[in-house]
Amino acid sequence: MPGAPAWAVLFFAMLFTLGLSSMFGNIEGVITPLLDMGVLPRWVPKEILTGTVCLLCFLVATCFTLQSGNYWLEIFDKYAASLNLIIFAFFEVIGVVYVYGMERFCDDIEWMTGRRPGLYWRVTWKVISPLLLLTIFVAYIIFLVWTTLSYKAWNPQYKQFPSRQEKSYPGWVQAICGLLSFLPALLVPGVAMAQLPIWRRRKQENVQQNMCLKLQDSKVSDSEVR
């Protein structure tokens, strides 16, 4: 191809800019919740938090640059996102439709758009979507249970080399695959359980405040009567 070096430079520059644009969104998805949760004091600059998150991501990503980096990339690609996205989508639908309430959600859409969702959308959100997501989740779990976790390795001693030889993952790698599949999803009930005592304490404080206000009102009304 004429001018091959120039096209090669442009191609890798395109990959670099694509990677940067993707990482902007990914890093903001981590930094914004940390800022909203108040993990760090207000006087700490956002740049320090951003630099710390980028450094941690860089250290975690060094495993992909090792001699076995391609195998680790395959593990993260297969088990880090697929199951968790299904779980998150299922609980989002359940939370919006059955916890927040379908009528309240439709009222919000009507307030924003001026039109109320039709019967098709309400049936889809309430019945079809949860059933489809649950079916996919059960099928995926059955597939993981009945399938041997394996990978294709480069082995010069393999009879059919340069074709890659299929090998089973060691036990410790299978444990890592299980953690990657379920650990992000377990953070949701974990954070909910951690917030439960805080919610109960706030509820008790509100009850006590309401009782104090009622006592004050009763005292004021008694004094007025006298």
Side-chain angles (χ1 to χ4, degrees):
M1 187 174 181
W7 291 112
V9 171
L10 290 174
F11 175 74
F12 283 103
M14 178 193 70
L15 292 180
F16 179 71
T17 54
L18 284 175
L20 283 180
S21 62
S22 300
M23 288 309 300
F24 286 150
N26 293 336
I27 295 300
E28 281 298 323
V30 176
I31 294 174
T32 302
L34 293 178
L35 291 175
D36 293 341
M37 293 170 61
V39 176
L40 294 179
R42 293 290 182 180
W43 55 267
V44 177
K46 182 181 177 181
E47 290 78 8
I48 294 179
L49 178 61
T50 305
T52 303
V53 172
C54 291
L55 178 61
L56 291 175
C57 293
F58 170 76
L59 294 176
V60 172
T62 52
C63 66
F64 302 129
T65 63
L66 303 176
Q67 197 170 10
S68 59
N70 186 49
Y71 303 132
W72 286 113
L73 181 61
E74 290 183 1
I75 291 173
F76 274 77
D77 184 50
K78 287 182 179 179
Y79 303 105
S82 54
L83 184 62
N84 294 295
L85 290 176
I86 296 172
I87 295 174
F88 291 150
F90 176 77
F91 282 107
E92 282 180 3
V93 173
I94 296 298
V96 171
V97 175
Y98 292 98
V99 178
Y100 183 72
M102 173 67 75
E103 293 300 322
R104 295 174 63 188
F105 184 60
C106 291
D107 292 340
D108 294 340
I109 294 178
E110 185 180 9
W111 178 77
M112 290 184 288
T113 64
R115 297 179 60 184
R116 197 171 184 82
L119 180 63
Y120 168 78
W121 291 110
R122 284 181 287 172
V123 172
T124 301
W125 292 332
K126 198 165 187 176
V127 180
I128 298 176
S129 293
L131 287 178
L132 286 177
L133 290 170
L134 185 61
T135 303
I136 296 172
F137 173 75
V138 173
Y140 189 84
I141 295 297
I142 293 174
F143 175 79
L144 287 180
V145 171
W146 289 99
T147 304
T148 303
L149 301 182
S150 61
Y151 67 102
K152 292 184 178 181
W154 294 102
N155 185 8
Q157 284 75 36
Y158 184 48
K159 294 180 180 179
Q160 299 179 3
F161 187 81
S163 298
R164 294 194 293 175
Q165 181 182 7
E166 188 167 355
K167 294 183 176 181
S168 299
Y169 282 121
W172 63 276
V173 177
Q174 295 183 15
I176 292 177
C177 293
L179 284 176
L180 288 175
S181 297
F182 290 100
L183 187 59
L186 292 177
L187 290 177
V188 176
V191 172
M193 295 298 293
Q195 291 292 327
L196 185 60
I198 299 175
W199 176 78
R200 287 181 175 176
R201 186 173 67 250
R202 289 178 179 175
K203 187 176 180 180
Q204 292 177 355
E205 292 176 354
N206 292 333
V207 170
Q208 292 176 357
Q209 290 178 358
N210 292 332
M211 292 179 63
C212 293
L213 291 175
K214 288 180 179 179
L215 289 174
Q216 291 177 359
D217 293 338
S218 63
K219 289 180 180 179
V220 170
S221 59
D222 291 341
S223 61
E224 291 178 352
V225 171
R226 292 176 183 177

